[in-house]
Amino acid sequence: MEQQDSTESQTSPPPAKLALFTLTTMVIGSMVGAGVFSLPARFAEQTGVAGALISWAIAGTGMLMLAFVFQSLAVRRPDLDAGVYAYAKAGFGEYVGFFSAFGYWASSCVGNVTYWVLIMSTVGTIWSGLGEGDTALAVILSSVGLWAFFLMIRRGVKEAAAINKIVTVAKVVPIVIFVILALVFFDPSVFADNWGGADYAGSLFSQVKGTMLATVFVFLGVEGASVYSRHAKRREDIGKATILGFLSVFAIFASVVIVSYGIMPMSEIAELRQPSMAGVLEDAVGTWGKVFISVGLIVSVLGAYLAWTLMAAEVLFVAAKDDDMPRFLRRANAADVPMPALLMTTLLTQVVLVITAFSDDAFNFALDLTSALSLIPYLLAAAFAAKIGLRPDPLTAGGGRTSNRELTIACVAVIYTAFLLYAAGLKFVLVSLIFYAPATVLFVMARREQGRRLFSPREFVILAVSVIGAVIGIVALAAGWISL
């Protein structure tokens, strides 16, 4: 056996084992991040109370179905690790699985950018040089924080998970206090005036459609326990952690939006600087409310950044171990951290962080792109669950096929994620393909390492579609048809 280097090895050590509570906090920690603090303004820009209630009903039902899908697949296919990617590969082939892994990883990296933008925007209220998180100074300071986290995470998954457990509890507290204080200062007449939406809101359907990407963003991470399946002490804890985490954050997120409509007119909420939750509480209780939420936001965002960076690196690592990514990505150090995957995650986050400086609205651009990139991996996971429900699969536990209940849940999840792609619009689909198409270089590297044919006829068609879409996206950006 070759002597292992003190920091890095070709083969990884036994994975650290995590209990149900820790897995649940990983799910909550992944979902409770930048998004919840931006929800009041994001919703007020699009809809009133009625539209918000419908949006949360749709998002809650759809995401709950996705949570049930991940719960079911964790039990039915215990052989599949790093859930989102593994399900796409098992159901639709290696190249589609590669796209799912890359898309999920890229969405995590772009999502991490929103955290730094929001932190800088928050501090920017007292330090004008940071603007709304999109100035040169903001990018430089964000970059320093980005690499500081890289150095911390490399110390180990178990240590990082322990920190995340503490931070998750700490960051939920200010959000719950916000909801309680908003209820204390709740004005029924203001709430009633906001019911149908402001004049700029448009039809009820357009109001609901306009909020869909925001709801996707805040629920990203619902599959967190599934991604960490190789670290779970008990396989059944994966599904339990997914459902417990989802129900907890759904109650929090919906409450934050609805109670805000009872504090300020919708048009005024829409104009608030992000994080808009701070502006709402400032209107209710004064300056201390804004400071309180701002501090809570920084703790929350840094915790979410930690969880998402861990998950992103884990997806690349497992894909490489399955020979769907180049072999250098399967290396892990003695602390069970996939260092090359972590480095690539940090590098892509850095690149997107610089790009946002040239965007008209850095935070909302990064938020919407994150949601769009994640939709294809979610859709493929739901479609795989539907596939094994319709057609017997000898590898599926429980007799080779799922129950009618599980099939119904999977079909609803497919319809929901397909609707989200429609709601995202052509702009973000094209921009997503600009990310997806060049990633094929990694797939080609993996195939060459194995001495295999680069593409099957079916895979070549998928490649052609992605490349054509990426070219159209680049042309559209250059011609000004779409903008960042």
Side-chain angles (χ1 to χ4, degrees):
M1 182 176 177
E2 294 182 0
Q3 183 178 5
Q4 289 187 346
D5 183 81
S6 60
T7 60
E8 194 170 76
S9 62
Q10 285 294 117
T11 58
S12 60
K17 294 300 181 182
L18 306 177
L20 173 62
F21 179 72
T22 303
L23 286 170
T24 303
T25 61
M26 292 298 285
V27 176
I28 296 174
S30 301
M31 285 191 279
V32 180
V36 63
F37 293 91
S38 69
L39 283 176
R42 284 282 297 189
F43 266 75
E45 289 170 358
Q46 301 290 340
T47 187
V49 178
L53 290 172
I54 295 172
S55 294
W56 283 117
I58 294 172
T61 301
M63 279 296 176
L64 181 60
M65 295 304 103
L66 271 176
F68 280 140
V69 162
F70 289 119
Q71 180 190 41
S72 172
L73 290 176
V75 175
R76 296 290 187 177
R77 289 299 302 269
D79 57 305
L80 299 177
D81 287 324
V84 177
Y85 143 74
Y87 301 144
K89 177 184 176 181
F92 307 102
E94 294 180 1
Y95 191 39
V96 174
F98 166 82
F99 267 142
S100 179
F102 179 83
Y104 185 79
W105 171 71
S107 73
S108 301
C109 296
V110 177
N112 282 346
V113 172
T114 65
Y115 301 148
W116 293 113
V117 171
L118 198 55
I119 287 176
M120 294 302 141
S121 177
T122 301
V123 180
T125 59
I126 57 174
W127 187 0
S128 60
L130 298 178
E132 294 191 9
D134 54 359
T135 65
L137 179 60
V139 171
I140 292 171
L141 292 179
S142 296
S143 300
V144 172
L146 182 74
W147 291 100
F149 264 81
F150 169 81
L151 295 175
M152 182 185 72
I153 293 172
R154 66 182 295 184
R155 296 184 59 183
V157 169
K158 200 165 187 177
E159 288 76 8
I163 295 171
N164 181 76
K165 183 163 58 176
I166 297 170
V167 170
T168 296
V169 175
K171 70 186 182 181
V172 167
V173 171
I175 301 172
V176 173
I177 292 177
F178 167 84
V179 174
I180 294 172
L181 289 175
L183 287 172
V184 171
F185 291 92
F186 190 86
D187 187 336
S189 63
V190 174
F191 186 79
D193 289 341
N194 287 330
W195 180 262
D199 294 338
Y200 59 79
S203 68
L204 186 59
F205 177 78
S206 64
Q207 291 182 40
V208 172
K209 178 174 173 286
T211 62
M212 283 294 100
L213 283 184
T215 60
V216 173
F217 181 80
V218 295
F219 283 128
L220 293 179
V222 67
E223 71 295 329
S226 178
V227 172
Y228 276 92
S229 55
R230 75 185 182 100
H231 293 278
K233 284 185 178 179
R234 298 187 306 169
R235 188 76 191 185
E236 57 269 28
D237 286 347
I238 300 168
K240 292 178 182 177
T242 299
I243 301 302
L244 287 173
F246 170 79
L247 292 177
S248 299
V249 298
F250 174 74
I252 294 172
F253 292 166
S255 297
V256 165
V257 171
I258 301 305
V259 297
S260 297
Y261 286 114
I263 302 298
M264 301 172 65
M266 172 181 163
S267 58
E268 293 182 16
I269 297 175
E271 295 298 321
L272 288 174
R273 177 195 181 103
Q274 295 292 10
S276 53
M277 186 192 291
V280 172
L281 194 58
E282 181 183 27
D283 187 82
V285 303
T287 304
W288 76 264
K290 179 180 180 179
V291 174
F292 176 72
I293 293 299
S294 297
V295 172
L297 175 141
I298 293 175
V299 173
S300 175
V301 165
L302 291 179
Y305 179 83
L306 174 63
W308 271 103
T309 302
L310 284 168
M311 284 203 296
E314 185 77 6
V315 170
L316 285 185
F317 174 75
V318 175
K321 292 197 75 171
D322 286 347
D323 294 323
D324 295 308
M325 290 281 184
R327 290 171 184 164
F328 76 91
L329 291 171
R330 69 175 65 169
R331 296 198 298 267
N333 65 13
D336 194 29
V337 176
M339 284 302 300
L342 177 63
L343 178 60
M344 275 191 62
T345 298
T346 307
L347 286 172
L348 180 59
T349 305
Q350 178 71 79
V351 169
V352 178
L353 185 63
V354 173
I355 292 174
T356 58
F358 301 94
S359 172
D360 294 333
D361 187 341
F363 177 76
N364 281 326
F365 166 73
L367 186 153
D368 290 337
L369 181 57
T370 301
S371 300
L373 283 167
S374 68
L375 291 179
I376 291 178
Y378 279 168
L379 177 61
L380 290 170
F384 173 61
K387 180 180 178 181
I388 63 176
L390 292 169
R391 185 182 307 169
D393 178 4
L395 297 177
T396 302
R401 68 186 307 164
T402 55
S403 66
N404 289 334
R405 172 183 172 275
E406 289 170 314
L407 175 59
T408 301
I409 288 172
C411 289
V412 173
V414 169
I415 294 170
Y416 171 64
T417 48
F419 173 70
L420 290 176
L421 276 173
Y422 162 73
L426 185 60
K427 168 185 173 178
F428 285 103
V429 172
L430 292 176
V431 174
S432 295
L433 289 174
I434 295 174
F435 278 78
Y436 274 107
T440 300
V441 171
L442 295 173
F443 184 78
V444 170
M445 288 173 62
R447 284 285 173 94
R448 282 182 172 171
E449 287 174 347
Q450 301 161 48
R452 297 173 57 189
R453 179 181 179 181
L454 296 184
F455 298 100
S456 68
R458 177 173 170 269
E459 290 171 340
F460 188 80
V461 171
I462 297 172
L463 171 64
V465 171
S466 66
V467 170
I468 291 171
V471 170
I472 294 173
I474 293 171
V475 172
L477 284 171
W481 302 335
I482 61 175
S483 63
L484 302 180

